[in-house]
Amino acid sequence: MNPNRKTHGVLSMMLIWWWLTAVVVADPQINLLNSGCSQYNVSNESTFYASLNATFSDLTAQLNNTNTRFATAQQVTGSAYAMVQCRNYLSTADCLACFTAAIAQIRNCSAANGARVIYDGCFLRYESSSFYDQTTQPGNKGVCENQTASQTPAFSTVVKELLADLQVATPRINGFFGASKKEVVGDDGNTTVYAVAQCAETVSENGCQDCLTVASTNAELCLPGRVGRAIDAGCFLRYSDTPFFADNQTTDISPFLGNGSSSKKKTIIGGVVGGVVGAILIIAFFVWFTILRRRKPVIRGDILGATELRGPVNYKYKDLKSATKNFSEENKLGEGGFGDVYKGTLKNGKIVAVKKLAIGQSSRAKADFESEVKLISNVHHRNMIRLLGCCTKGPELLLVYEYMANSSLDKFLFGERRGSLNWKQRYDIIFGTARGLAYLHEEFHVCIIHRDIKTGNILLDDDFQAKIADFGLARLLPEDQSHLSTRFAGTLGYTAPEYAIHGQLSVKVDIYSFGVVVLEIICGRKSNEVTNDPDGEYLLERAWKLYENDKHEELVDETLDPNEYTAEEVKRIIEIALLCVQSSPGVRPSMSEVVVLLKSKGPLERQPPSKPAYVDSEKKVRGDRSTSTASSTSNATASISQPTGR
Ligand SMILES: *[C@@H]1O[C@H](CO)[C@@H](O)[C@H](O)[C@H]1NC(C)=O
Ligand SMILES: *[C@@H]1O[C@H](CO)[C@@H](O)[C@H](O)[C@H]1NC(C)=O
Ligand SMILES: *[C@@H]1O[C@H](CO)[C@@H](O)[C@H](O)[C@H]1NC(C)=O
Ligand SMILES: *[C@@H]1O[C@H](CO)[C@@H](O)[C@H](O)[C@H]1NC(C)=O
Ligand SMILES: *[C@@H]1O[C@H](CO)[C@@H](O)[C@H](O)[C@H]1NC(C)=O
Ligand SMILES: *[C@@H]1O[C@H](CO)[C@@H](O)[C@H](O)[C@H]1NC(C)=O
Ligand SMILES: *[C@@H]1O[C@H](CO)[C@@H](O)[C@H](O)[C@H]1NC(C)=O
Ligand SMILES: *[C@@H]1O[C@H](CO)[C@@H](O)[C@H](O)[C@H]1NC(C)=O
Ligand SMILES: *[C@@H]1O[C@H](CO)[C@@H](O)[C@H](O)[C@H]1NC(C)=O
């Protein structure tokens, strides 16, 4: 025996071993599985690129940490929400390498307002609105590899068991990541199946479960292929017969399988009726292949949660006409500033609200309409009504919205259902409205000023969550109509003085109206009606007076149960409302500040509110209300501050 040879053999074996390990360990796994760009571009590219760069550096910094494989980031301005996730088995260096590749790839989307890249090793996504809680979305699918290189039926059985176990265990594991392997015992040698499952860390346990349930089904479609994966907005699944993670990265999933571990039972049953199962499996594969082949052309669109990829739906006029029974009176839900709204039942049974717009039909109006619809159909926020689509062909311009069974807030405050909202519901509505407006002003990629915030434009869903309606429409009006018109932009009683008088438009106009709405919600009183007592005060005036005299508790709606709220809460909310209705737009807080203030506990750490614009004790104009507007006072602020009887 030549000792040299032996050494050589050992050395080469070591080399091979090292190489194998190295391949597994130092590989960022930049194998592109899926990518996509939104079809909509941002409106201001320079701010967008700057904010995207800042977001990416933020994410890089977070990932440059041994224990971090998941990060989200968003900029206060510029609106890019981003999420990155590496498979936990990647080293920090590999994770950063994968992320760097993802950044290079995603920049291919230029200024698209949303994009995603999914690699084996990591994924990166950004959108103009938050998507962190998305789990399973249209576009979810399996990504298979070389299905001609198929494995045995026993392999398929084991893959299914392994995926089933991961599906149960992963949502229960802290960090939502599971990596496991399983032996397939075969006549001519054993093989091992390796699999990982992972969810975005921002989803809930149930969300992770839902997503992985869909993902398992999708990945199993790759069987009997050697390699299969499933991609979705909130989770990822991969199996393979070759190792793609290091042995020491395996997770012990057994403690998370709980009582009804299906795999053990399955193995026993599998052993007993293995032959039968095998035969059934083979038949099943044939059936499945046939179904898959046939289904291919109608496979779901490539959406994967990037909802921006979906444009607004163009509805047919005749469909909407029949859905609303020819816009019949009985289907009419209400009359808004921009036109009447009808309840419609589409052919598929879905109930929608159809708005018939009362604006011009010129070709310019139509073009504006289409671009505006495109914009506002991208407004996705839980406190904003979803615009589903529109109809431009036909005698009218129509907008189709999601339907809210509970109708609008004014009905609950002043109308037929007065007194049915408790304190917590009212607080949630205030908070939801504030969040929706903060999104519209500061987070959506275009700053949208609503201009007509009022209780009639705040709809309530089944859970009494606020949904703001009618946003974006004021932009359709010709400039000369966009202020000083009670019919369109702004409703008296809610309109900020600087806008009503000078047409000075800014987000602070909405903030003023929001303050008025908050007072109405707390007091259960309309802002444009005077009290019955001899003083005859308007809501704002009364609120200020009571606040100044520290008697704000008298403001609270008498239908509310006094045990539901504390004096401190009442004071804080009234103070926030009064901050919003201050006369100088500059000192009103921004909507995101309002959200923070609402969340805070205890007394506000802020300059107390100053007097609202019109409260002018020297110059009471209500003596002769019918003619007060222009003539009875030289103080324009005072005169415009209150609506005259309508
Ligand atoms: C978006 O911007 C890219 C490049 O800046 C351009 O090629 C593309 O046409 C734009 N898309 C739309 C819908 O404006
Ligand atoms: C984009 O935003 C920046 C900063 O707000 C501003 O200076 C610039 O004029 C804007 N560009 C366009 C095209 O609106
Ligand atoms: C963003 O980063 C890219 C690549 O590093 C660079 O080319 C680009 O100029 C940056 N853009 C801005 C606005 O900072
Ligand atoms: C990660 O952190 C280390 C030290 O903390 C630093 O040297 C390195 O440049 C960082 N890498 C990246 C990509 O930021
Ligand atoms: C997209 O990005 C990759 C990676 O940077 C690059 O190689 C590729 O050419 C780009 N593709 C397109 C269509 O721009
Ligand atoms: C697929 O697998 C077959 C059989 O193992 C092999 O001959 C073929 O080269 C593979 N194709 C690819 C693209 O890997
Ligand atoms: C395959 O696995 C079984 C059970 O784990 C074991 O008994 C057997 O020796 C293995 N066969 C080979 C060829 O490794
Ligand atoms: C896992 O094993 C590799 C070598 O195979 C080693 O470099 C690494 O440090 C190990 N990781 C842990 C967490 O033990
Ligand atoms: C677990 O199994 C035991 C006995 O099999 C049973 O008594 C117990 O209720 C089970 N627990 C759950 C949570 O299913």
Side-chain angles (χ1 to χ4, degrees):
M1 263 240 172
N2 184 344
N4 257 349
R5 236 179 156 175
K6 206 171 174 182
T7 326
H8 190 221
V10 170
L11 266 179
S12 58
M13 264 175 68
M14 278 177 69
L15 208 70
I16 288 169
W17 176 83
W18 172 83
W19 182 77
L20 276 176
T21 331
V23 163
V24 167
V25 173
D27 177 4
Q29 302 192 345
I30 307 168
N31 171 35
L32 184 62
L33 302 177
N34 184 276
S35 66
C37 312
S38 161
Q39 68 188 87
Y40 299 110
N41 285 342
V42 298
S43 53
N44 187 329
E45 294 200 6
S46 62
T47 50
F48 168 75
Y49 284 125
S51 104
L52 200 62
N53 282 7
T55 303
F56 289 159
S57 351
D58 183 346
L59 293 175
T60 308
Q62 291 184 58
L63 290 182
N64 194 2
N65 176 324
T66 356
N67 300 319
T68 308
R69 295 291 178 272
F70 176 84
T72 60
Q74 60 278 325
Q75 302 303 310
V76 181
T77 58
S79 80
Y81 287 74
M83 178 190 284
V84 61
Q85 182 167 42
C86 291
R87 311 307 161 207
N88 288 24
Y89 54 76
L90 289 190
S91 67
T92 296
D94 284 344
C95 175
L96 284 170
C98 189
F99 179 46
T100 307
I103 292 177
Q105 175 72 37
I106 218 163
R107 283 195 196 275
N108 281 358
C109 289
S110 329
N113 69 355
R116 65 166 188 274
V117 178
I118 306 173
Y119 291 123
D120 266 335
C122 65
F123 87 85
L124 171 63
R125 179 177 172 196
Y126 73 80
E127 300 287 346
S128 56
S129 58
S130 178
F131 57 91
Y132 299 161
D133 57 355
Q134 284 184 2
T135 55
T136 181
Q137 292 283 320
N140 67 74
K141 60 182 167 193
V143 180
C144 305
E145 195 176 280
N146 198 1
Q147 269 177 295
T148 53
S150 60
Q151 269 281 8
T152 58
F155 176 82
S156 297
T157 311
V158 172
V159 168
K160 284 184 183 176
E161 285 170 7
L162 186 54
L163 295 186
D165 284 351
L166 280 171
Q167 185 193 320
V168 171
T170 309
R172 301 176 179 174
I173 298 173
N174 198 8
F176 293 149
F177 175 81
S180 190
K181 58 183 184 177
K182 216 172 169 117
E183 199 89 350
V184 185
V185 181
D187 301 334
D188 45 353
N190 297 342
T191 41
T192 309
V193 186
Y194 302 82
V196 300
Q198 187 175 36
C199 291
E201 291 182 18
T202 41
V203 304
S204 64
E205 185 178 327
N206 283 340
C208 180
Q209 224 158 37
D210 294 346
C211 195
L212 288 176
T213 306
V214 175
S216 311
T217 314
N218 282 331
E220 282 173 17
L221 292 179
C222 294
L223 289 169
R226 292 166 182 273
V227 179
R229 308 168 182 87
I231 55 168
D232 207 335
C235 65
F236 177 77
L237 201 58
R238 176 182 179 191
Y239 77 81
S240 173
D241 63 354
T242 46
F244 56 94
F245 52 88
D247 244 2
N248 60 9
Q249 294 298 332
T250 312
T251 334
D252 181 12
I253 60 170
S254 53
F256 302 100
L257 292 175
N259 255 354
S261 169
S262 54
S263 66
K264 263 185 202 144
K265 275 185 221 146
K266 269 190 192 159
T267 315
I268 296 162
I269 296 166
V272 176
V273 289
V276 181
V277 169
I280 291 173
L281 277 177
I282 289 167
I283 296 167
F285 285 137
F286 274 109
V287 172
W288 163 72
F289 263 119
T290 334
I291 291 172
L292 190 73
R293 287 260 160 74
R294 229 183 288 143
R295 251 201 221 151
K296 268 243 158 89
V298 292
I299 243 164
R300 292 148 292 198
D302 185 29
I303 297 168
L304 250 197
T307 33
E308 279 85 350
L309 296 177
R310 240 178 323 200
V313 176
N314 246 314
Y315 291 89
K316 285 194 183 127
Y317 184 76
K318 79 172 172 27
D319 289 348
L320 295 180
K321 193 171 156 186
S322 70
T324 56
K325 298 192 187 149
N326 199 10
F327 303 103
S328 68
E329 272 304 307
E330 72 176 285
N331 277 36
K332 195 156 159 181
L333 294 170
E335 296 169 19
F338 301 94
D340 297 343
V341 186
Y342 299 85
K343 179 176 175 175
T345 311
L346 299 176
K347 279 197 198 113
N348 62 10
K350 191 177 166 122
I351 300 179
V352 294
V354 181
K355 179 163 235 165
K356 219 167 161 182
L357 281 189
I359 57 170
Q361 271 275 39
S362 66
S363 57
R364 198 183 141 241
K366 235 176 194 169
D368 286 353
F369 175 74
E370 278 172 27
S371 69
E372 193 65 16
V373 164
K374 204 164 146 185
L375 180 76
I376 58 184
S377 67
N378 269 331
V379 169
H380 299 301
H381 190 276
R382 76 179 81 162
N383 298 113
M384 309 297 301
I385 283 284
R386 271 295 302 278
L387 176 68
L388 303 173
C390 64
C391 168
T392 50
K393 291 193 185 69
E396 258 132 347
L397 296 180
L398 302 173
L399 289 172
V400 180
Y401 290 97
E402 60 179 335
Y403 173 74
M404 288 294 126
N406 267 338
S407 168
S408 55
L409 179 57
D410 54 347
K411 304 258 184 338
F412 288 85
L413 293 177
F414 326 118
E416 65 235 36
R417 298 178 70 176
R418 176 175 157 77
S420 58
L421 291 175
N422 65 27
W423 175 265
K424 170 147 196 319
Q425 286 169 325
R426 293 188 199 213
Y427 175 82
D428 287 347
I429 290 166
I430 291 172
F431 190 63
T433 308
R435 272 206 313 212
L437 273 177
Y439 169 80
L440 210 54
H441 289 171
E442 299 166 44
E443 291 163 32
F444 191 58
H445 62 93
V446 176
C447 168
I448 297 181
I449 303 172
H450 189 295
R451 306 191 211 188
D452 199 10
I453 291 292
K454 58 179 176 183
T455 50
N457 272 338
I458 297 169
L459 307 187
L460 300 178
D461 72 5
D462 295 340
D463 296 326
F464 294 98
Q465 296 298 311
K467 299 254 189 186
I468 301 173
D470 260 7
F471 48 88
L473 298 181
R475 290 156 53 106
L476 291 171
L477 298 172
E479 279 308 308
D480 57 342
Q481 268 185 38
S482 62
H483 78 278
L484 283 179
S485 158
T486 54
R487 180 140 181 259
F488 290 119
T491 301
L492 285 179
Y494 294 96
T495 311
E498 77 276 8
Y499 183 48
I501 302 166
H502 305 295
Q504 247 175 42
L505 184 63
S506 72
V507 291
K508 298 299 172 93
V509 166
D510 283 351
I511 288 158
Y512 181 95
S513 312
F514 171 79
V516 176
V517 166
V518 171
L519 289 176
E520 290 189 328
I521 292 174
I522 298 300
C523 311
R525 244 191 80 187
K526 283 188 184 169
S527 63
N528 56 5
E529 280 175 2
V530 292
T531 46
N532 276 332
D533 53 57
D535 275 355
E537 287 166 319
Y538 285 103
L539 177 62
L540 231 58
E541 192 167 9
R542 185 169 158 78
W544 175 255
K545 232 190 212 166
L546 290 175
Y547 168 76
E548 252 192 333
N549 296 318
D550 218 20
K551 290 200 274 188
H552 39 266
E553 266 186 275
E554 287 179 28
L555 272 174
V556 179
D557 190 343
E558 72 265 6
T559 66
L560 278 169
D561 178 353
N563 297 320
E564 288 181 346
Y565 54 86
T566 64
E568 192 186 293
E569 276 177 299
V570 170
K571 176 160 188 197
R572 201 175 67 239
I573 292 187
I574 288 175
E575 211 159 56
I576 292 169
L578 289 171
L579 283 170
C580 294
V581 296
Q582 294 177 99
S583 61
S584 163
V587 299
R588 293 176 207 150
S590 72
M591 223 51 232
S592 52
E593 284 175 286
V594 170
V595 170
V596 172
L597 291 177
L598 283 170
K599 271 199 272 193
S600 68
K601 295 266 180 288
L604 295 183
E605 285 166 14
R606 228 189 129 92
Q607 193 89 29
S610 58
K611 214 169 176 183
Y614 67 94
V615 181
D616 188 343
S617 45
E618 271 88 68
K619 215 170 246 165
K620 296 250 177 185
V621 293
R622 71 177 54 84
D624 179 9
R625 202 165 294 117
S626 57
T627 59
S628 66
T629 307
S631 54
S632 69
T633 173
S634 56
N635 184 338
T637 314
S639 67
I640 196 76
S641 62
Q642 291 300 342
T644 51
R646 282 203 284 166

